[in-house]
Amino acid sequence: MEKKYMILCVAGQSNAVGFDESRIPEDYLGHFRTERIRQLGLYGEDNLKIIPLGACAQNYQDMRPFGNPENPAAMPGTRGMHLPLADLLLDMIPGDYDILVLPCAYGGVGFTVGEQGSYDSVALRPSQGRLRWGKESPFYFAMRDRIQYCLELNPENRFLGVVWMQGEFDYENGPEQMAGFDAMTEDFFRYMAEACPGKVYKGDWNRGIWYNAETVAHWYGVGDCPRIWAHYAQWSPETYVKVPRDTDSNEVNGTGLTAAVRAMHYGNDAFRRVVAPCIAKTMAKRLH
């Protein structure tokens, strides 16, 4: 029998990628029902294939070289929210479905910073590097088209939502970030409603399936970042995800390999302990 999947997209910049530098325990994968969780591959021959999801997801940005030097060879890279969030969502979907995670994030990018880049519409991949987000962005095209690709693998596949964590590097121009985000999401809902009608699980192609999650505490003292997240909260209050300000960053058990300022990114297993549960609790309002 062909597998049926609920599709979860995680998109944005570094904290959506997952820059948790802390050592990945050898038994880490044992905390999750990995047999029911997959990802859409991006790298090399994995591209557009359904493959296992480990601690380090195949994002636009390849984090495998940045893992803690003490990591076991079998689990290179950094950790993100993908695996713990997918595991929590398994309890909110029918038992005959698995979850297919679609990682779409790159660190240090935004609507006001980054290169234009290019898009391969056959491989459904953006060009390498720090590209801009926006309604004409290769990052956006790849996210949109990969969601459609995943839904069309099986007519019974359904979409769970977009979890979005982005805005830090737009701190010098909040208004332009807000306008770019609004234009991109409006285009996303319009496009997906036409291309994949009736494919959202317990919802529709609107703001009710887009979850804006708060960033790590460090950024709330930087430039326009507070304004950007205030806009997210106003944009869709029901799907806005609050994360406690005292959630650990890479200041605890970090290595400094991903950023000189360790407080810029969630760390010390915070994605599993705090961030993913906060997102899952918000998503449960619709999915339960």
Side-chain angles (χ1 to χ4, degrees), residues 92-105:
M92 305 180 200
I93 64 173
D96 58 340
Y97 275 84
D98 290 348
I99 289 183
L100 178 58
V101 179
L102 183 57
C104 299

Side-chain angles (χ1 to χ4, degrees), residues 5-10 93 97 100-102 143-144 146-148 150-151 156-163 188-189 192 196 198-206 208-211 283 286-287:
Y5 290 102
M6 295 288 180
I7 315 303
L8 171 70
C9 179
V10 178
I93 64 173
Y97 275 84
L100 178 58
V101 179
L102 183 57
M143 181 188 82
R144 181 195 71 186
R146 283 175 169 258
I147 291 172
Q148 183 176 353
C150 291
L151 288 171
E156 295 190 70
N157 286 357
R158 293 294 181 268
F159 189 63
L160 285 177
V162 176
V163 175
F188 174 78
F189 298 136
M192 296 305 299
C196 303
K199 294 292 187 177
V200 174
Y201 181 62
K202 293 188 177 181
D204 208 343
W205 297 107
N206 54 41
I209 54 93
W210 188 289
Y211 300 85
M283 296 183 73
R286 172 172 62 91
L287 299 181

